[in-house]
Amino acid sequence: MTLNCTYQTTYSTVYLFWYVQHLSKAPQVLLKGLTADKKVEHEGFQATLVKSDSSFHLQKRAVQASDSAVYYCALSDTVTQGCGGAKHKPRVQMGLWLWAAL
């Protein structure tokens, strides 16, 4: 299974996240893409933040019924300090996918 996630941003530093939300539960962070071209893995899921094509695709080879959920891809571009120590709240953009194992 592959869920595609591509993004557009004007910031040079971006953080990508995959969230999973199971039925009647709150969303939980599944994977974090903080470093370009580094594969991250958790519970059989994997993704690689590829800055050259602005992607962070979620993959899992052997899916099970327990993987049925809503999956969110989120981008955060964060600037912690600007001129004079001004703070900037991160802007988060999300896409969602509903995936059900049959």
Side-chain angles (χ1 to χ4, degrees), residues 7 13 16 28 32 39 41-42 49 58 73 95 97 99:
Y7 64 91
T13 301
L16 275 288
Q28 295 180 321
K32 301 175 188 177
K39 180 167 51 175
E41 299 180 73
H42 180 69
L49 175 55
L58 181 67
C73 179
W97 293 260
W99 184 81

Side-chain angles (χ1 to χ4, degrees), residues 1 30 40-46 58-60 67 71:
M1 169 191 77
L30 180 63
V40 290
E41 299 180 73
H42 180 69
E43 296 181 353
F45 290 91
Q46 64 182 36
L58 181 67
Q59 297 179 319
K60 186 169 187 188
D67 296 320
Y71 292 84

Side-chain angles (χ1 to χ4, degrees), residues 50-64:
V50 181
K51 286 195 174 183
S52 61
D53 66 359
S54 301
S55 69
F56 190 54
H57 305 315
L58 181 67
Q59 297 179 319
K60 186 169 187 188
R61 291 179 193 232
V63 294
Q64 301 173 351

Side-chain angles (χ1 to χ4, degrees), residues 3-98:
L3 298 179
N4 293 324
C5 177
T6 57
Y7 64 91
Q8 293 179 345
T9 185
T10 58
Y11 291 93
S12 58
T13 301
V14 293
Y15 305 98
L16 275 288
F17 302 87
W18 274 102
Y19 289 84
V20 59
Q21 184 175 14
H22 292 282
L23 188 63
S24 302
K25 297 199 175 175
Q28 295 180 321
V29 174
L30 180 63
L31 294 173
K32 301 175 188 177
L34 306 177
T35 305
D37 303 317
K38 180 180 178 187
K39 180 167 51 175
V40 290
E41 299 180 73
H42 180 69
E43 296 181 353
F45 290 91
Q46 64 182 36
T48 302
L49 175 55
V50 181
K51 286 195 174 183
S52 61
D53 66 359
S54 301
S55 69
F56 190 54
H57 305 315
L58 181 67
Q59 297 179 319
K60 186 169 187 188
R61 291 179 193 232
V63 294
Q64 301 173 351
S66 59
D67 296 320
S68 297
V70 178
Y71 292 84
Y72 302 88
C73 179
L75 174 145
S76 177
D77 45 8
T78 305
V79 177
T80 56
Q81 287 194 330
C83 296
K87 297 286 181 178
H88 165 72
K89 290 188 177 181
R91 182 178 62 211
V92 175
Q93 300 171 346
M94 295 185 115
L96 76 98
W97 293 260
L98 175 60

